[in-house]
Amino acid sequence: MFETRLKEVQRSVQVALDAAVARQPEGPLRAPMHYALQGGKRLRAFLALESAAIFGIPEAQAMPAAAAVEALHAYSLVHDDLPCMDDDDLRRGQPTVHVKWDDATAVLTGDVLQTLAFELCADPILGAADRRIALVTALAKASGAAGMGHGQALDIAAETAPEPLTLDQIIALQAGKTGALISFATRAGAILAGEDQNPLQAYAEAVGLAFQIHDDILDVTGDEAATGKRVGKDSEAGKATFVSLLGLDGARARADALIQDAIDAVSPYAEKAENLRAAARFVISREM
Amino acid sequence: MFETRLKEVQRSVQVALDAAVARQPEGPLRAPMHYALQGGKRLRAFLALESAAIFGIPEAQAMPAAAAVEALHAYSLVHDDLPCMDDDDLRRGQPTVHVKWDDATAVLTGDVLQTLAFELCADPILGAADRRIALVTALAKASGAAGMGHGQALDIAAETAPEPLTLDQIIALQAGKTGALISFATRAGAILAGEDQNPLQAYAEAVGLAFQIHDDILDVTGDEAATGKRVGKDSEAGKATFVSLLGLDGARARADALIQDAIDAVSPYAEKAENLRAAARFVISREM
């Protein structure tokens, strides 16, 4: 059962993240780091652990990579929520870091969470040094000016653009903003095993885009209590979204087709990819 | 001649940093990344390259480590200058990133500069994967909640503290805020060579503290045109500084003694450490 498995991952990655924070020295950033690392779907950690499992890498060995993805994701949320960025006061149903502390603390907390992600990718338990270096390099590509940072910057630029974005522009934006890290998570196992990353890359591209389309659908149809964040925000802001560009039915049809592509992409792994198939279906059925 | 050598490093590390930015894909962050990486003393890059030279590692091989230190330093300055942090509008004699662009761009630019630093530490030219992983781990320790992030957070906390900091508290704060990265830079060669880091660590601790004491002295005696930043800021703000705690003569005497400690620490390297000795003397004689 996918949801049982996801709950197990939520528990185990939380233990790993809490332990990573507990290893940091006492100081003013420990509490906000700990806070920013609570909750969430942990879909990225799930993808990393399932990707590792395909290549026979046990969960205990792959866990720092899963924790790294979640630390990087948490850093991006803390900075994204800042008043000068998306200005969100609610995240995962709780006050955002800059609301609970202050803006300076949120900047620094995001900063050290990014650092933690790289530190975790270097953890000796992950395997040989050349595999860990490959993981560090892949995380840097996913996170930096070629990946998430690029997507975030396009998103900021879109807010002051004279015209709403086109479909191609939104796809490019999302490929950076959410796609790059989902792709890293999904390829993590292949990177650590030194195996071909292409089937997982194809799966991740389709799932990542479907994920964002479904997020836009939830922004229209979702329930604030279930999603844990403000809904209707993007449509109110007049931002182009997959729903505004494709219509609700069109967006749903596109997401469905992408999930089928994702399922097809991992056919080389046969039954070893069963949990990845279930995760793909979850991405377009979730209510949060 | 130390100053000739420093100028050479300034040129060569700038070439490496500009090339690293040019390798990033086109996008809104390229220009502010490039901008934030201009200028500066490049003392950290110098320390990294001299540290490498002691162990026979040529400059071309060690350069990504030197560039990584400067990228990490630049990221910390961009975030430190933000309105919610130190709120500085002038850096290296130029408008800060958030003044020239906006706060959101400055947050993202700092973020991707941190990422770039880790990417550079994984550069294959630096040597065997296990040495590069050791470098990544050391950079994470220097940058994160145990290093620079910790120091920055203590600095923010000090601003709202009811009492000015004591000497021990300022030393702890500076050990994180500036000392951790200076230490990383100085140990980089030993890390890449797989050699004992202790003499360089001792040198770096002394130089790092002397550096900060001299910064406090410049804040009182310095010239805005020479330093490229606002002077008198800390003393106006009623912040405890090494000068307020030790007096101007006491601060100078302490910095002199630390530089002698630093020079003694690298005696095992004999004439190979001549440039490090000159750098130590420079730290307490510089006017910027």
Side-chain angles (χ1 to χ4, degrees), chain B residues 249-266:
Chain B
D249 289 344
R252 282 184 174 133
R254 176 70 78 109
D256 286 348
L258 285 164
I259 291 312
Q260 193 51 53
D261 291 347
I263 288 170
D264 293 346
V266 292

Side-chain angles (χ1 to χ4, degrees), chain A residues 227-269:
Chain A
T227 58
K229 57 188 172 189
R230 214 141 47 82
V231 301
K233 195 170 54 105
D234 293 339
S235 37
E236 278 163 28
K239 261 178 148 172
T241 69
F242 289 106
V243 174
S244 74
L245 287 161
L246 299 170
L248 198 51
D249 288 344
R252 283 184 172 133
R254 176 70 77 110
D256 285 348
L258 285 163
I259 290 311
Q260 193 52 53
D261 291 347
I263 288 170
D264 293 346
V266 292
S267 56
Y269 306 123

